[in-house]
Structures are given as structure tokens and as C-alpha cells.
Amino acid sequence: MQLGFVSAIFPEFSLEQVLSFARDAGFASVELMCWPPGKAERRYAGVTHLDATDLSAGAIKATHDLVAKYGVAISGVGYYPNALSPNLEEAETAQAHIRRVIDLAAALGVGRMNTFVGRDHTKSIDDNWPRFLEVWRPILDHADAKGVKVGIENCPMSFGKDEWPGGKNLAVSPAVWRRMFADIPSPNFGLNFDPSHFVLQHMDYIAPLAEFKGRIFHAHAKDVRIDRAKLDQLGVFAYPNSWHSPKLPGQGDVRWGAFLGALADAGYDGHLAVEVEDRAFEGSLQARKDSLVISRRYLEQFVVGQRGGVGSGS
Amino acid sequence: MQLGFVSAIFPEFSLEQVLSFARDAGFASVELMCWPPGKAERRYAGVTHLDATDLSAGAIKATHDLVAKYGVAISGVGYYPNALSPNLEEAETAQAHIRRVIDLAAALGVGRMNTFVGRDHTKSIDDNWPRFLEVWRPILDHADAKGVKVGIENCPMSFGKDEWPGGKNLAVSPAVWRRMFADIPSPNFGLNFDPSHFVLQHMDYIAPLAEFKGRIFHAHAKDVRIDRAKLDQLGVFAYPNSWHSPKLPGQGDVRWGAFLGALADAGYDGHLAVEVEDRAFEGSLQARKDSLVISRRYLEQFVVGQRGGVGSGS
Amino acid sequence: MQLGFVSAIFPEFSLEQVLSFARDAGFASVELMCWPPGKAERRYAGVTHLDATDLSAGAIKATHDLVAKYGVAISGVGYYPNALSPNLEEAETAQAHIRRVIDLAAALGVGRMNTFVGRDHTKSIDDNWPRFLEVWRPILDHADAKGVKVGIENCPMSFGKDEWPGGKNLAVSPAVWRRMFADIPSPNFGLNFDPSHFVLQHMDYIAPLAEFKGRIFHAHAKDVRIDRAKLDQLGVFAYPNSWHSPKLPGQGDVRWGAFLGALADAGYDGHLAVEVEDRAFEGSLQARKDSLVISRRYLEQFVVGQRGGVGSGS
Amino acid sequence: MQLGFVSAIFPEFSLEQVLSFARDAGFASVELMCWPPGKAERRYAGVTHLDATDLSAGAIKATHDLVAKYGVAISGVGYYPNALSPNLEEAETAQAHIRRVIDLAAALGVGRMNTFVGRDHTKSIDDNWPRFLEVWRPILDHADAKGVKVGIENCPMSFGKDEWPGGKNLAVSPAVWRRMFADIPSPNFGLNFDPSHFVLQHMDYIAPLAEFKGRIFHAHAKDVRIDRAKLDQLGVFAYPNSWHSPKLPGQGDVRWGAFLGALADAGYDGHLAVEVEDRAFEGSLQARKDSLVISRRYLEQFVVGQRGGVGSGS
Amino acid sequence: MQLGFVSAIFPEFSLEQVLSFARDAGFASVELMCWPPGKAERRYAGVTHLDATDLSAGAIKATHDLVAKYGVAISGVGYYPNALSPNLEEAETAQAHIRRVIDLAAALGVGRMNTFVGRDHTKSIDDNWPRFLEVWRPILDHADAKGVKVGIENCPMSFGKDEWPGGKNLAVSPAVWRRMFADIPSPNFGLNFDPSHFVLQHMDYIAPLAEFKGRIFHAHAKDVRIDRAKLDQLGVFAYPNSWHSPKLPGQGDVRWGAFLGALADAGYDGHLAVEVEDRAFEGSLQARKDSLVISRRYLEQFVVGQRGGVGSGS
Amino acid sequence: MQLGFVSAIFPEFSLEQVLSFARDAGFASVELMCWPPGKAERRYAGVTHLDATDLSAGAIKATHDLVAKYGVAISGVGYYPNALSPNLEEAETAQAHIRRVIDLAAALGVGRMNTFVGRDHTKSIDDNWPRFLEVWRPILDHADAKGVKVGIENCPMSFGKDEWPGGKNLAVSPAVWRRMFADIPSPNFGLNFDPSHFVLQHMDYIAPLAEFKGRIFHAHAKDVRIDRAKLDQLGVFAYPNSWHSPKLPGQGDVRWGAFLGALADAGYDGHLAVEVEDRAFEGSLQARKDSLVISRRYLEQFVVGQRGGVGSGS
């Protein structure tokens, strides 16, 4: 496995700054954020390190040149909106841009885009299902046509009042995945596997690796700590933000040695992208940089981390 | 502590049959269900072993006579509707009958009624709060006037599709209790403490006993088992019914020795009413009877169970 | 579930003495041992409380009369030889007598016999399999013809030098059971389920209950303790007798509340026969009697134990 | 094993009342307290159910008659002073009366007395040792002459300010026992084994049973709960009373099934005397009686409890 | 957090040698020992890497120059005597020199000194308290005047015979800290937090971080292993040295990922000084050097370790 | 401790390639495989990085020169055949070559060879014992004469059908070691200690370190994971390969911090040779190289790893 990080941690950086930091900090790859660009016109926007609205040969070449200059791979292109939002404008914006990011993945030759399936958070999973199929069948047809793998992150997107009650992503569990992959059997429909969301949901994150091995297209390295003292006051039905904390890998409840060993046993040899949302490391740009360095050091005891072998790995 | 059971397990029994079984099966008390009576006119009704709409001297005397005949105490009168239902007719029916059950508790000299505070399950706890105060302040005023303790069971009433997402009872956790008792500081406002709901919510049920010792008016003995294999497939945000099973005391995840020892340390010396909802014991009347006998045997290793001493306890 | 015991604990007792003790000690049933009778002619013999070589109307009636006199049911007829012994005489004796015990179960109307499938302990499971099928297919045909359920106990029969290396019973695990029931799909082929053998083999005894629920014909209540200090010196590949001890229910490593709760969830409502092999209770007939009384008391906190209801259960 | 209790729980009872309660409550035996009698003259006195200062034939016969009348055995005679007190008067009183209680055990034919070895709590174990040998060698010589077993309870007698720092009994651990039995090798020097003191000291109470099997003359059934929340605030070097609570058997941290199973494996078949110090059951005489009944019920699932067999055990 | 070490590990080194090693071994800081200097005149002395008796401009400049030369920060100045010793000369020496070390911290601009509050180990905490207040109120007044933070290490200083029974430092637990900070409310009175002392005392070291977050001025990284086999023989009331072993971070019972994650959550971003007392690494100067290198490698997977960012952290 | 690896991972490498990789990858030593060389004539052969059949001065000098060139130590010479094979030719080949490898260890000045004692896997330990003594007494005499330490690896060599039932090495447990060292009391008879084989056998690997401290001549760093889901289906008596997986250090069930801390406490300061058998890293030469780099990184948080001190250790 190669170590990377999710570029959303550096919203103020240009693509070149992201790649430059990655190289200097010893990362082999980056998952680049591709939210719709543009201050003025954008709504529902986020971090944009690659602009999926510009697939011109020049733009693609510029990206390739930067990647070559810094020797850092693109592990995937990422865009995590809510394509099933009850706000129809938001949903349509998301769907349209997901298609563009798929196109970008194809144009760049990366072949991999990561996202959520989304959810109307005011409805149950069953009540979301018909619309899920209606929205996602054509998206996967598009991905099949382009030969791009779509990795769905298993985050419940359920933290506080805004996402209550259902959260903004359906693809949260093995039970849902089986239904998803049975109803939309495209070989390009798979997972961006993040063990921390299993900890949040009080689930085992080891056993599913063997069952879904062919479906794991990308992986995130985030950790969470269940705050027992708070959970004891509030219970699991309270807002999840009130009883858990996102943490750097190794400082939460994920058992990384066991997880990464089993992930390797499942034949996964792709990218592992560190995703930092630890509030203890949000105080400054330097703290965010440090958080990635610490995470890399922690994870390099379990994965080789970089392309090539002994020279780069030492 | 004295052992009793919740009479809802015998919907087909008359009051006398309930008391007769209790005596024969070695129970010291019964919590009697008091749902609004009458097949024709009733909606939102349940089991009625005592009719709170008839507080005539004759009715009260008849109850007292039966209680005396069988030597079984009434641990409390119980009615568990949703007084905060979004269905206003249902809510008003509930509020009015709660008042009647309080009157019944006073008339009988039992002095204790058990219920839920209810919840508009479509709304968050915060969004329920103003209506909770509006509805419950006058009910507690009434209880204060009658000198009746109102024990709120800590059940989240969140099992499946019908109660999704919020469940039908607000009073689920120490955090909520503190807010309840601060906002409605009546000494007659307290708890019908059931440890199984803590297990469901992945919470500690021992530590709150010391803090809320003066507020524990009644206790239920129900157990639940978290079905790990199912939880691993679904996660805690799925319908609770899909990943847990109600069980007889001793056959779930509650550690009864520790719980009852700590409950005694908290000075509680009231009734412990077995509440059976174990589907393995629903097949016949005999199975339901058996489930109570087994539960009594299990619990008698931790509590004396019966009034008086050696003779009855041996 | 009804509580019984395995009659092998009283080799010196007549059938009537066994039944008399069962009644006096509060047991609802007995699994009666049916080894080939007769001091002189017998080899490979054990305890004989019912003589399967005499199926005369008189013998059957005498048994029925005794059973009726003491009000104790026969939970099953038991005979636990090695029908696949490398000693062919031993194997053939076993096979022939198994047939007779099946006939006895039919003649008595008990409908249930318990045994081992046996094993050539010098060979692997695979190498035993062809002979297993050859021997057991006709036995099950016979059981089908007689309408008798054959419950195979899941004991590995691997304790010390004599059974080394493979043990004398193939049917030790869910993996083997699936193969057994697939290759011999008779509805009368099932299990005499004993959780203690799972503890010995370091296996989960809860999960298989749901999968094999229709196959559980009988159950044993034995416990074992893994002797950690000895296991740490010897390892699991040493003779099992050197690192574990059979114990009374509740004094070993089986979690009985969880097991019996899950067994009930699996729909099992048959007999639970206490099997005592605890060396601490072998010193005298009184100690053996006491061990059954203690076991009954322990288990009655989880199962009703006796036929009928409140009266008998109190 | 037979179930009894420590008579100190009933200071207001006469011997006959103690025996009468024991019989009615289903106990097979009682450990009778033998502190020096007499209100006026006594200092350092406690509960006196047998008067060791009167060994007249009449007194002995009266005791035998009462024991016969109620059919309850004397498991041992108990007196728990500090024979090594830095207060020399207290120490000498203790030593002299220990001799008398040994004489009483001989005169009654009980053959067993239970006590502490004591400790000058202001000194270390090493600094107590010379005096320990000086005091106890002649006491054991006396016990040898009388043929009386002296069972030393393993209580550290270290609870609060009064016993700080060293506690008032040296015989707290296997390390100390080995030294005791090596330096005073009398076969009448042994233990009154109480698992709860191991829990208090964060020690394993199972493994020592095998090593000291021949030295276990008597056993106490008391439980304690380590109060984690308090220990987390104070640490193990704070007064033990501030971070633990004595509890009834089954309501603390002792694993009784494992303990009593291993105690039986060690060949112990003597008396198990319930010792109640649970503050939740100190409110009234009835509460104290109840606490013994509950304890008996709890322990009877692991030990037969009473003399004789099926009849008495049912 | 920045990684440093406690300079006491190199008693034979000059200040320059300490700083040189720190730089070469990749440490960002050092806690420098400041015991009273001078072979001849000193009693109660230890390691002296900074001489607090010489606060001349020349001495301060020389220190600053060395620090600048090696680019290693001073995390704090440390002196750990017993200011409450029953030996009054020792106590007064300690108090006077603590003042000097405070002056040194001010003169150097470090602003932080670490020490113990001490304890008369022959007395209880309560009996020490009046003298504690008498001694420490003026010291904190002095610290307030100088603007120096005084970080009290939470070590019980209770290991063997010499410190028996009470240990030589009162500030061992959250319960004591609350009392300390309530009675001496100076903002310069705080903690030098070491999680290993919580493990020794069987306490939780995570929860106090949130409560005392503003009081944590410095932190030590030491580990200890509770030697279960020895504890089982001796119990927690035996000399602590007999049942625990100091170990390098990661080789004892502290869960460092959880601890350092929670320490960061508490807003601590200061120095973490490795304190080595592991007897397996005491054999030679090289072994001591190695122990620091190993410790740094272990801790760098959880903390960035060095000043600056990516360059230094890689 | 110094970090090395077992050279068997690179069968296609020359000695020089092995040493070159070791140096480049940051290892201090290598355990070199010494199976009988030669394609044509060899049977029972394996990897040969040193040829024990050529002890000429030239061969020895060539090895010394290479070792000096790359600055990598030889931790030991290894040859792991079955000297007690039931195939007598295989056994005799093994015995003869073991002698040669001892000679090689002496000639090189390494002084340490590692091997198995072997076992006739069709027989019990007891039945192997006479032949074990007959074979190994003269081998140890030879080792004594040469002054070479023989470290027996504690692997049970029991994985699947080929080694069933007994495995191909007797020296699997402390119980066997005591017998071995008592019957062949040579000071040159000791252990090549690998904690993973304890995990496989469900044994404690910490406690034996203290007892056998003088006997630990070499150590292997391999990890294994018990595959719970498979074990639950099969039980510990099934082929071990069916329920466990060899893994890199840190990705299995060995607790390395605790183990290596205790190994250091036992005074061990020799070599720790990484042995990789993780199937997830067998796909390519690069994957095998990577697996050693990851293992080194993981272990260097617990051991210094390399000769010398700060410079090499940073």
C-alpha cells in the first residue's frame, strides 16, 4: 500500500503547493478534491484542487506536468456532495458534477473517483431506495462507459442537528452495500473504505474486508475515539458529534495493525489516504502539516508507504 | 427490595387472576396496567387491570379486598402512552388519562404511578422541549396536589419504522433527566429505572444510581442482548429492533449482581417489577407464566424478593 | 426447556432407582444409558439402564409403568460407542447396537436416541469420510424407517493418550456438521448439543444455534474450565486432559445465561440433560447426588426445568 | 461444602436465637463469635455467642444440647483480635483469650478456631516478624497439644485512619503464608480463606487454592466491589475504605462459580460461612436476616449447602 | 508537542554534552536537572546540569549561548527534593533551593520549574496538610512574583522501605490536586503530568486531562508495567517496587495513543520529556543513550516531536 | 537488541546480495540459511546462503570479507530439518548436516547455530523421547567440543496434513524445555525464541522469559493472527493452517511492546531476526523487501536495532 492524504486539509493551497508538501512530507500520493470551482457562482462548493469543469488538453497536461515534477501520484479524485439531497437544486448540482469528476478521472488516466451516494436525511433507507436507484444507475452507466471506478465512502454523514436523523449518505454498512451492489451490479461500483465509520457505528471493520475485497477501490485512514464518559450521559441515539471525536490514526479506537494486516490479506495494494479531522490539530497551518507527518510516521510501521522499495522506504 | 412483575404480560387475565398468579408464583407485588378501558370507545388503549375511570368507593374497596385476599402488593399503577404525540387527539387522551391514573394512585393509597413523558418522534429533543414543559408542568402540579410520585421509565421507545427517528419518550438519559428535574423541580417527578434501556443505548447503568438516588421511585427488571453479529452488519443507526433482543433477566447483557448491589447502595428498597418481552417466551400462556417463574428464581439470588423475612424468603 | 440428567452418573442404580432419584431431586427427565447389557458376554460395554436387546412388550410395558410411577420423562436413550473404530469388531458391535437402540427409542415412543458418529482416531477427518458415509447412510435409513431422531453429540472424544491424535468422534464442529448433513440429508440426523465441547475447542457456541436450530434434538449441560496455568505450560496441542477440567454448570467457562437464552431464541424447547464429569464430585454416591442437585439449582435460574407451570416451578 | 454464616451479624441474639435463625433460614452451620464476655470488665471485646471463659461440663453440655436441638453445626469458633497490637495490654488480652478459644474448640469437639495473627500496624512486615514468631510459636504449641486447627483469616485489616498504614493482620498474601508456614511448621496452622480480601488487594484468589489446599481449614463468603470511580480519584494508596465496598456474595467482584469450583477441586469440603458487612443491609435486624437469606440462595447454586443429600438439598 | 528528555539520565555529562546528545539524537528539548551543586558541601544533592546558585549575567549568557549553539530548548528546570521531609534540615535545604530554581527559571526566561511538593512520609495526607500550606503558600507567592510556573509531578514517591508508608510527595491524585489548587489558588501552581504514576496507583489517566487542562505545565513520558505474577503473590499494599517495573514508553501499561490524543485534546502543546528508569537500559552509557533513541522513535508516531514542521519532522 | 532477518526470504539471492540488502535496508544482522547445497545431489534441501560443506580457510575468509564489506553481522547460522524424521535417510542427513553447521558456526566465530530438534510426527512426545536423547546427546557433545550454542526454535511445525498429527519438532513448550534441559544439561543447549508459536498454541509468551533467560540464544520476530471466524467453525484440533495466518510483526496477536520489554528485562541483548511468512507479502521480490522494511520500522520503536548508538539509531 502507498500512503497519501486527502487534500481537503489544505483549502488555501494551490495544487502545486499540495503536491510540493506531499513530496516534502514523504507521501506517495494525494486524493485531490474536485468540488465545483468559483467563488461567485458556486453554491454547495468545497475545496477545489482540480477543476473538473476544465478538461481541456492544456489543463490535463498541466496537471500531469505537476504530478511528474513532484513525483507524487493522484490516488483518486474526490468530491463528496449529497446527490440525493431533498434540496433538488443541490442534488442536481451534485449529480452533474459527479459526472464531470468521473470524466476528469478518465481524462487524467487516474481511473478512480471517490464520493458519497448521498441520502435524503429526512427519510429512512427504504424510502430513499427508489430514488437512489433512479439517480445512480445512470451515473454508473456513465462510469462504465468511461472506465472509471467509483468508490463510495462508508461515512454515515450523521453528526449533529443538520444531518439529523438519517445522515446524508446511504452506504454505511455491509447490509446496505450488498443491496447496492445487487441492485446496481456494475464492476465500477465499489467502496472508499474508512474503518473509523465502523467504530462510530459500533461495528466490526475486519470481517467485511474479505467479503468485499474486490469492491475496495480506495481507503481512508482516519481514526475516531468513542468518548465513553459522554456516551454514558447521552446514549448512542444522541447526535454522534456529542459522543465521539475524530482523531489521527493511532490516537482513536481503530486497531490499525489488525486492520491493515487484514486489508493486505484481502489483496488490497492501493492507496491509503490519511484524512485528518482531529480538532486538536486545527489551530494553524503548521498544526495541520504536523498532523499529516505524525500520521505518516504512525502508518509507516504497518505499510511500506511509498512506491519502489528499500531506498524510498527506509 | 420486593419482587413483582408488570401485569401487561397477562392481557387476558382479570385483576383477580393476576393477583392469584402472583401469589402462587411467589411474587410480592404487581405493577398494574391502567390503560383506558372499554373496547368500543377506546383508541390508544392497552391492558386494563385497574380502571382509572372508576374511582368510586366501591371500586377502590373491591381492589383493596382483592389485594388483601391474595396478600400481594401493588407496586405502582402503570400507563405508558405518548403524551407528546404529534397526533393531538392521542396526546390529549394520554394527558387526561395520566391525570386519572394519578388520581387512582392517590385513591388507592399506592402513591406511585409509572409512565413515559412521551415525545413527538419526528422532532429533536430540543424541539420537543417547550411542549414538554407546557404539558408536564401542570401534570406535576396535579401530582403534587395529590401527593403521588410519577416515575418516568427511561425507555427510548425507539424500535422500528413506526417510532423512527426519535422514539416516543424523551426521558432516556442522565443528560435529559438533569434538564427535566431542573426545569420541573417537583419532588414527585422521578424515575421508573430500567437498566436494559441503558444497554440498548450503550450506556453505563451503574453510575447514575448514586446521582439520581432520591429520584428512583420504581424499577423494572428487563434484560436485553445486543446481537453483535447483526449490529456488525447494520450499525447502531439502524432500527434498534434489528440489532437487539429483549430477554429475561440473566439472559441478556445486564450484569444484575452489580446493578442490584449498586441499587441497594443507593438506598433503594422498593419494588423491582419483572417486565418480560422475550420473544422466546411468547408462544403460550404457560410460557409467559414460566418466564416469570424463571425470572423470579434468577432475581431472588440478589434480592430478598418478598415482604417479611426468613419464613417467606426461604 | 425441561431439566434432566444423564443416567451414566449412577452405574450402580437400577432404572427404578434412577427414576426415583430424579423425581426426588426435582428433575423432569432422564437420558437413559443403553449400553449392551450383560457382564459375561459384553465387551465395549458401559452403563445399562435400559436393555435394547429386549424389546418385548413386557419389557416396554415395565419401563412405561416405572416412568408413569415416578412422573419422570425419558429425554432420550443414549449409547455413545465408536462405530468407526479401527477395531472392526468394536465398530460392528457399535453399529449393530445403535440400530437396536433406535428400535428401542421407537418401541418406547421416545423417538430420540443420542450417540457419537465415531472416528478412526488414527486418521484425519477426510480419511474417515468414505467409511463414515458407508456406515451411517444405512443407519439413518433405519432411523428414517423407524421415525427416530438421532442426535449426535459434538464431543471430540479426545482427552489423552488413548484417543490421540484424532479423537473418537468426527462430529465436532459446524464445519463438519454442514458436511454431514449435506452428505446424509435425513431429517432424523441431528445434534445432541453440548456447549462445553466448544469451550474445549476454543470455539463460539452461541452463533451455531441459529444456523442449526432445526437440527438440535437434545442438549447436554456440562461445563469445562480451561486451566490457563497448565495451558500456558503445554499448549493446545498437548493432550486436552492436561489443560482442562470438566466442571458442574456454572463453575466453568460456559456463559449459561447467554447460551440458554440463545438456545431458547433458536426455538429449542426440549430437554436439557445435566452431564456431570466433575472430579470434585466423584468421591461418593452422595457427592454425585449433590452434584446433580447443585446443577439443577444453578440451571433453574435460566430454564423452567419442569413440566407444567407455576406449581411445579416454584 | 456446607453453608453457614458468621454469628457476628447478630450481636443482640443469644446462642439459641442464632441457632434457631440458622435452622429456619436453611443454614447448615454457624461460625460462633467468642469474644471475651462481660460488659463491666471487658475492654477489646466484641460479640460473644460462646463464652470461652467457662469450659465447665455444664456449659459444654448446654451448647451441645442447643446444637442438637436445632440441628445446626458449629463450623468453627471465632475470635479476631490483634495479638500483635502495639498496645501491650490489648495484645496480651488477645493472646490469652486466643488460648481459651482454642481450649473451647477442643472442649466442644469442634477442633477449629479462626482468628487473625495480628500486626503492629505502625511497622513493616519484616519489623513485625520477630515478635510474630515469639507470640505465635507457643500458641501453635498449645493448639498442637489440644489438637485444634487454627485458621488465620487473610484479611489485611486495613480500612481507614485507625489501621493506617500497615493494617492489623500480617497474614494477607501467599508470600506471607509461605513464610509463616515455613517458620511455624505446625500442621494445625492454616487459613480461614476469604476471597474478598484478594479482590481488595488486586490479587488472584484462584491459583493459591491448589498450593495451599491442605492449609484451608475454613472459608468465608464475603464479596467486595472495587469502586472504580472513587479509585480513579484517589489511587490504591489512599485508605481502602475510600475506594471499595463490602457486598453480599454475587454483588461484588468475586467470580463465585470459578472460585467455588476451584475450591472444590482443591479438595475442600468443609464449611463456607457467609460474612455480611454490606452497608446496604445494615438498616434493621430484618435487613440483616434478609442479607443472609439472599446470600444462601446465591451460594446454593454452587454448593450443596446442607448436610445430607437430596432431601435437604432440594 | 515537542519531545525532550529528563537530563538526570546523564549524571556524568556536562550541560554541553547533554545538549549535544539531544541535538544528535533528534530531541527538541531537555528538562535540565538543577540539584544543589558541589561535592564537598552538598547533602541531599543530585544531578546538576544548571547551577541555580549562580544567576550571574555571565552564567545565564553561557547557558543561552549553549542552547543557541545546539538548537535545543529547555523544557523546564527540574529539582525534585522533599520540601516536607521530617528531617528539618533536608526540608529547609529543599525549600531554599526550590526558590533558587524558580529564580533560575525566571532569569533564563524558561518560566517553568518542576518539582514535588514533598511529604512527611510517616504521616497521613491530612496530617501533612497544615505544614504543606505553611511551606508552599510562600513558595507560590515567590513564583507569582517571578512569573514562574511550578509544575508538581504526580509521583507518589513510594517504592520501598525508605519511603514507607506514605511516600515522599503529596500530589498524587485528582482528589489531592483539587484540594491543593483550592487552598493555594495561584495560577502558577500546576502539574508536571506523568501517566505512569496513575498506572502504578491503578487509576485512569485520561479523564483528569480535561478537568486539569489549564494546570498542565509540563509532561513526562515514562511507562510502568504492573507485574501481575508478583502482585498476585504480594498484593497492592506491599512495597510498590516489589510488584511493578519502570519501562520505556510503549513497553509498559500506558496506552500512549489514547493518552497523547487526549492530552492534545486538552489543548496541551508543550514539551513531553522522556524519563527513563528502565533497569533493562541501565547497564552502560550506550544503553542509556539507546533507551532515549528508542523512546523518541516510539513517541514520534504520536507527536510531531520537534519544532518547526515538515522538514524537521520527517 | 540488534535487528536482523532470516535469509530464507531471499532464496534467489547470493550471500552478497543478502548482505547488501541488509545494509541498505538498515538491518544490523542476518541469520544465514545453511541447508545442504547442490541442486543435483540434494534431497531434503532448502536455502543455502552459507555452504557448511566447505569449511576451507578460503571459504571462511570469503565470508568474513563480505561481512566486513557490508558491515552486517551474522546473528546465527540456521538449518531447520527434521533430525527425528521417521524417514531414516532424512533423519541421518539432517543429523550429519547439523554437525557440519555447528562446525561452520565455530569456524566463522559466530558461535551460534539455530535448528529444530525434530520429531517423528506420527508418535507422541513420550514415544519420541528415547530416540530424541539418543540423537541429541552426541550432537550436544559435539557442540560442547566446538563451543557452539545450539538454539532450538520453539515452532510446533504442525500446519496441515503433511505434519499431522504431531508436528515435526518436539521443543514446543516450557514443559518440554524443562525435560530437554534436565535430560541433556549442556550449557550450549538453548532456545531460538519465537513468540508467535506461543500465540498459535494459545500460551503466554511473557512468563517463560524470566525462567529460561539464560537459555535464550537467539530470537525470531514473527507474528501470527488467530482467525477467530475460522476457529469458530473448526476448533483448535483442526489443521492449524486452517485457523491462523502468519503476519508481519505488529499485524498479528503478539503484543510486541510487552514482549520485547520483558525480553530486555530477562537480560537478552542479542539479535532479533525478523522472519516473514505473511502471504500478503509473497507476491514479488519487491513485496518481500517491503515486508522487511515495514517490519524493521515497526520493531525499531521497541529496540535500538543497530549496533552503535545515536548516529546509527536515529
Side-chain angles (χ1 to χ4, degrees), chain F residues 253-272:
Chain F
D253 296 338
V254 173
R255 295 174 298 116
W256 288 96
F259 170 66
L260 292 169
L263 186 60
D265 287 350
Y268 185 76
D269 193 27
H271 298 270
L272 179 67

Side-chain angles (χ1 to χ4, degrees), chain B residues 21 24-25 225 245 247-251 278 280-281 286 289-290 293-298 301, chain C residues 256-258 260-262 264-265 299-306 308-314:
Chain B
F21 172 83
D24 293 351
R225 182 185 65 220
S245 300
K247 297 299 297 170
L248 301 192
Q251 305 193 18
D278 188 330
F281 290 87
Q286 185 60 49
K289 288 180 175 179
D290 287 352
V293 171
I294 299 170
S295 298
R296 179 185 58 71
R297 285 189 203 138
Y298 180 80
Q301 57 180 323
Chain C
W256 288 97
L260 292 169
D265 288 349
L299 292 167
E300 279 183 350
Q301 58 180 322
F302 302 117
V303 297
V304 71
Q306 288 185 291
V310 170
S312 55
S314 64

Side-chain angles (χ1 to χ4, degrees), chain C residues 13-21 66 69-70:
Chain C
F13 273 16
S14 67
L15 173 59
E16 179 153 17
Q17 286 173 304
V18 168
L19 295 171
S20 168
F21 172 83
L66 278 174
K69 174 175 175 190
Y70 290 99

Side-chain angles (χ1 to χ4, degrees), chain D residues 5-15 18-19 30-37 42 45-53 63 74-81 97 101 104 108 112-116 151 153 192 218 220 273-275 277:
Chain D
F5 63 86
V6 180
S7 74
I9 195 172
F10 296 127
E12 70 271 64
F13 272 17
S14 68
L15 173 59
V18 167
L19 295 171
V30 189
E31 180 187 358
L32 290 170
M33 286 304 99
C34 305
W35 290 76
R42 83 171 163 184
V47 174
T48 312
H49 287 126
L50 285 179
D51 179 357
T53 65
T63 299
I74 300 174
S75 69
V77 287
Y79 169 51
Y80 297 90
H97 198 67
V101 178
L104 174 64
L108 281 170
R112 220 166 11 244
M113 78 84 64
N114 299 324
T115 189
F116 297 135
E153 188 175 356
N192 179 13
H218 199 266
H220 275 182
V274 175
E275 184 182 29
E277 300 177 2

